[in-house]
Amino acid sequence: MVLLIKRTPSGILLILANGFEILDSEEERQSSYDSDPGNEEDTPAEPTSAVGNRYLQQNASDSDDSEEQKRVIRSAKDKRFEEMSATIDQIKNAIKINDWVSLQESFDKINKQLEKVMRVTESERVPNLYIKALVILEDFLAQALANKDAKKKMSSSNAKALNSMKQKLKKNNKQYEDLISKYREKPDIEVSNEDEDDSDQTETMSDNESEVSSDSGSDTDDNPDVRDLNMIKKKDTFMDKEFKKDPRDITWDTVNKKLKEVVAARGRKGTGRVELVEQLSFLTRVAKTPAQKLEILFTVVSAQFDINPGLSGHMPINVWKKCVDNMLAILDILNQYPNIVVDDMVEPDENETQKGADYNGTIRVWGNLVAYLERIDVEFFKSLQCIDPHTKEFVERLRDEPLFLVLAQNVQDYLEKTGNMKAAAKVALKRVELVYYKPQEVYDAMRKLADLSEERDDVESEAEESKWSDERRAPPSFVVVPEVVPRKPAFPESSRVFMDTLVSLIYKYGDERTKARAMLCDIYHHALLDEFSSSRDLLLMSHLQDNIQIMDISTQILYNRAMAQLGLSAFRNGLFTEGHSCLSELYSAGRVRELLAQGVSQSRYHEKTPEQERLERRRQMPYHMHINLELLEAVHLTCAMLLEVPNMAANTVDSKRRVISKTFRRFFEISERQILMGPPENVRDHVMAATRALSQGDYQKAFDLITSLQVWKLLKNKDAVFQMLKDMIKEEALRTYLFSYAAFYSSLALDQLSKMFGLSESTTHSIVSKMMISEELHASWDQPTRCIVFHDVGLSRLQALAFQLTDKLSILAESNERAVEAKFGSGLGGGGLDGLPLRRRDAGDYAAAVGSGGGGNRWQDSQSYNQGRQGGSTMGRHGGGGKPFGPGQTSGGGGGYSRDRTGQTRGTVSYGGRHSYQSGSSKMDSSARMGYTRAP
Amino acid sequence: MANPPIRSFLQAAKAEEVAPALRVVQMEGLAILKIIKHCKEFSPALVTGQLLGLDVGSVLEVTNCFPFPNREDDEELEAEGANYQLEMMRCLREVNVDNNTVGWYQSTLLGSYQTVELIETFMNYQENIKRCVCIIYDPSKSNQGVLALKALKLSDSFMELYRSNNFRGEKLREKNLTWVGIFEEIPIKFSNSPLISAFMTELEADTPVAQGDLDRLQLSTKPYMERNLEFLMECMDDMSQEQQKFQYHYRNVARQQTQQQAWLQKRRAENMARKAAGEEPLPEEDPSNPIFKPIAEPSRLETFLLTNQISNYCNQINGVAGLSFNRLYLMKALHEN
């Protein structure tokens, strides 16, 4: 029925309007609040039957204009109808001669004509003529299919046409199923009415239309104005009615019944969500017992959650506030009547809420405080996500934060009181998550705001209260619950204290996820307060980085945020290496925005589905929680620069070998490739320019370039950090200088160096000494003259080659051993050569070849011999030069070398047949050993 | 009895087969000088030429040679080269020089001659000339004051293997062929006509020191060593690649074996079931099954050649290092004096 009404608006609307009148009158008679105005469509049978009748008449009048063939002047519509009826005649003829081919053609034709007719009449209704044709066709088809013999006799083309017709018709008729069935029921009506309606058809049409235009709004679901009008009317009647009654007449039962009704209507189509909430909140006022009030309040809150349908939008702010109020009211009740227990596990008894305030036993009410609280939090979060952060609205919204904190605090207190510590931990986490990202200043501001708004609220709320009551003529509540729980947030002085209390509670009682999140928040907060070491210790002790991969995405985001904050904190403390290692991972893939959930990055290669995009958008952090990305980038690149510049200078030969920051290297290569170097614009440009200056030893320029970045003003105690940065840059400049130019000096005076880089002599001394100790600089101090004496120990080409060769040999030997192991297993204890197949002997041969191929060994012999002649100092240098030649060599000449070689044992591989081919294996040993000692 | 002539021919062939193995390559001074000149002139580039001579019993006499034109990798030129060769032979015959091809010579760089190409060339020559030899001259080594001349031939067992193109492990074991046994070095004997010898004695200078002796005292061995090391390293890289191939092969074999085992077990269980049901057991071998197809073993040839080269480099380094020591000691003694 509903379908019909919708499909044929022109004919039916009038009738519906009539039906509606009936409805209204009925309702008045019943004087009950039965039907919600939203769903009149499925109300009593009486009006609909009328609808049906009228509809059929209307139908008839619609279709028969096609019959009037003898008209002189024909409208386009008439012409179409005429064509259609002609086609039907054709169909009939084809049926007579059982010609399915032409039947099929006609069917296609009539379908095309139908389209035209529909266009001309501009109605959505299918003309009866067409339906009639369909019915005829269907009947004939059934007949033809039933008659198997005839079917067999058919020509092949005819049979084919029949089959295709069968399918087509089946598909086509599905659309008009109800119409057809109706037609089948009462084909006679149409016939009888045919003649009458002929003449005044057009007239009726126009009449209909005019009426339609006047009434159109009253019944369509889509017109909210009118519906609201209705709604208000209805509610007024309801309220008035309730008012008329003596309050004492309202019993628990009536309220309970009403509640059930309202709840039942919830979620049904056409039920206004806002109205539902209003009805329910009215009911809260007339509730008889506290338990009932509580129950109704719970329904109100959940109905309020329903007001916003989609997942993407957020709850309207005023509703949110009311929701919070309701929650507070719930808490009031719960605190007032401790015998009422909220539970979502068991379905409470039907009449549990009947028990009055004076009832002694426990009263169970269904509800879940934590879930509601979390939902409220989510809505708050979502609203912040959605609101444009640059508007006043956003700031206004942020002011509601204390409100939530109060609520959360109260809920937590209540839960703690009832001993539900696990839930309390969850609530505590919610509170933590609102505070963790606030530095002390912001926290103070929030406290102040909370105090201020409290005072203001008092005044305002009173005024509002009176306004409210005036407006709504709300009756005083039956169950008056005083405001038991505090409406004022109680914040401790320092945010750290606040965090500590909450976090320790969570650590004690929370589940895994809650604990992990709390831990991350704690880390973040510590880092925010510049307590880098404690923050780092927390992170390392918790082992969060080991299993963060398997946690949910929002926790991962939180982890990333904590890492970013940790990096910033390290930077502020002057720990640039640590800062870099914190941040490098975030920047390695170039998706830092995504990782921190602070905006969506567009990827060229990977097209996201809308679903993914929506999910991602829902994960975004609200603006006020953002970590400044520019600052983060500046910190990251600066740290990387300080590490990479000396590193690059140290490894000029094979720079690919040791890369500290790949990201930085890439940026640097890109900027190196640029032909024209403009003045730096963004953060990266600045750092790159500084890098260039630094690698030339121009520390002042580098420092100036770095500090000229605007973004540093966001940094806490900027001056101290700058001082540290400057020292660091000087130091790294000195190191870079030494790396790059040490080869060109034979000695260098200390005071010269310290003057060059503006460093104190002791610092310079310590830096240079450090470099000497860590073998980065082949030099020694000459104390009396306060000079650095450089030793030319750069590898000759031959030496370098020899080292490369030993590397390769060790690789080869290792893989050889692996091959042998794979073949014979590793436990080859003392087998000797005889029992082994030839391949093994081959390996021995080969080992011998490799051994003698280790020309490096022999060569080293001669080398060490040479050096031995030149003097002990060079030997010592070599021994400690990061290129150990094996202890035997440094101790003496060739003799020691060979002795050592044979005495060498290796733990990694047990060579069973060692004695049998000692020369081979021992040679291999020594060559491999060189490789091992080289690779630390 | 039916066809004795054929048998006798076969016997004749056999008799020829048993002909004394090649013991010495006897080279004319002229040929050597020509080779040295040719190779040295084109020094960094590698050149080749034809050897002409006579095969006399266990001695192969190389009496003359001529260079091939420098080939640039072009097919047209290759045909031209063949023409040139024929033309050259014809010309030489006309002036009554031995025009019997007995092999070829080629220059090398630091002894990096053990390649597949050399083997292929050798096999080509071998098809036509039963007894052929390859003379290898290393100009870079000769700079050290040594006459780096080598006469090589492939060992018979290797050639046999090469013809069947089977370098799998078991076959090699069967033939007892190792990398050492691929090439055979044949001692070279110099011979000059008495007239030339007499003339040389006449020419001999009064000073006992020749240029070669002075060369031998050169102290700078660095470039030579470096080159050797570089080549050695390349060999190492190639070697590890070969090794990886083998590792890959072994992995595959192991995988196949486990597959086979699994299949066999399944088949056995099936057979048990069939036996219980009274049916004929299925065969335990299924040649059509792809998991029983043997995996081709990678050829060992490349590895063998590489090993050869490596040992060659090592020997060279050894030799040079040893000589350097001698020189250094000498220098030390000189200084002390």
Side-chain angles (χ1 to χ4, degrees), chain A residues 797 808 815-816 853 858 862, chain B residues 173 230 237 243 314 318 325:
Chain A
R797 200 173 139 64
K808 292 209 162 123
S815 65
N816 220 5
R858 301 268 174 123
S862 69
Chain B
R173 240 165 280 150
E230 272 168 35
D237 285 344
Q243 223 166 20
C314 296
N318 264 346
F325 271 123

Side-chain angles (χ1 to χ4, degrees), chain B residues 46-115:
Chain B
L46 301 180
V47 290
T48 54
Q50 187 89 286
L51 295 177
L52 302 171
L54 281 174
D55 181 7
V56 187
S58 64
V59 180
L60 192 71
E61 284 182 17
V62 179
T63 51
N64 211 332
C65 66
F66 65 89
F68 290 149
N70 235 4
R71 253 195 308 183
E72 283 148 44
D73 297 322
D74 211 330
E75 279 173 30
E76 252 178 73
L77 283 172
E78 213 155 281
E80 253 173 57
N83 280 338
Y84 171 83
Q85 209 172 322
L86 286 174
E87 191 71 11
M88 198 70 191
M89 303 270 275
R90 204 175 50 79
C91 294
L92 284 171
R93 192 178 53 204
E94 273 169 20
V95 294
N96 208 10
V97 173
D98 284 333
N99 63 338
N100 180 29
T101 310
V102 291
W104 85 100
Y105 71 84
Q106 68 175 49
S107 66
T108 182
L109 202 61
L110 293 171
S112 57
Y113 54 86
Q114 287 104 330
T115 56

Side-chain angles (χ1 to χ4, degrees), chain A residues 642-836:
Chain A
L642 290 173
L643 296 175
E644 269 289 357
V645 170
N647 182 37
M648 283 195 292
N651 300 306
T652 41
V653 191
D654 46 357
S655 55
K656 289 278 173 292
R657 198 92 171 267
R658 282 181 54 208
V659 176
I660 295 173
S661 169
K662 279 211 177 86
T663 329
F664 181 82
R665 281 283 173 97
R666 203 177 56 236
F667 287 163
F668 191 62
E669 269 165 33
I670 291 168
S671 86
E672 286 284 271
R673 249 181 275 144
Q674 274 175 348
I675 302 162
L676 208 64
M677 211 67 76
E681 279 168 12
N682 54 19
V683 174
R684 201 205 287 182
D685 287 351
H686 273 89
V687 177
M688 289 306 139
T691 305
R692 229 165 281 127
L694 190 58
S695 52
Q696 284 153 14
D698 191 348
Y699 71 91
Q700 189 58 46
K701 193 178 164 203
F703 178 70
D704 289 346
L705 274 163
I706 295 275
T707 48
S708 67
L709 280 172
Q710 287 297 309
V711 74
W712 293 126
K713 64 174 182 277
L714 296 172
L715 205 64
K716 239 189 320 183
N717 50 16
K718 182 172 112 181
D719 296 330
V721 176
F722 274 3
Q723 193 49 49
M724 279 189 274
L725 186 66
K726 187 160 191 172
D727 290 345
M728 196 67 190
I729 285 178
K730 277 180 190 171
E731 196 175 306
E732 296 304 334
L734 170 62
R735 277 159 54 81
T736 313
Y737 183 81
L738 285 178
F739 277 132
S740 318
Y741 303 112
F744 305 106
Y745 286 100
S746 61
S747 65
L748 197 51
L750 177 64
D751 54 342
Q752 162 84 3
L753 260 187
S754 62
K755 219 187 286 164
M756 250 166 109
F757 293 97
L759 285 162
S760 72
E761 284 194 7
S762 61
T763 341
T764 318
H765 190 277
S766 79
I767 293 167
V768 174
S769 302
K770 233 186 273 172
M771 284 174 78
M772 285 176 190
I773 291 164
S774 61
E775 310 294 344
E776 291 168 333
L777 195 66
H778 303 292
S780 56
W781 285 110
D782 190 46
Q783 292 297 353
T785 51
R786 294 159 59 78
C787 273
I788 310 164
V789 182
F790 291 97
H791 309 299
D792 181 23
V793 289
L795 292 177
S796 77
R797 200 173 139 64
L798 191 60
Q799 283 166 317
L801 281 172
F803 279 119
Q804 281 181 32
L805 183 70
T806 50
D807 277 354
K808 292 209 162 123
L809 279 175
S810 67
I811 292 166
L812 202 63
E814 228 167 288
S815 65
N816 220 5
E817 278 158 21
R818 236 179 287 134
V820 172
E821 252 168 63
K823 183 94 178 165
F824 307 109
S826 52
L828 244 190
L833 248 181
D834 305 333
L836 295 174

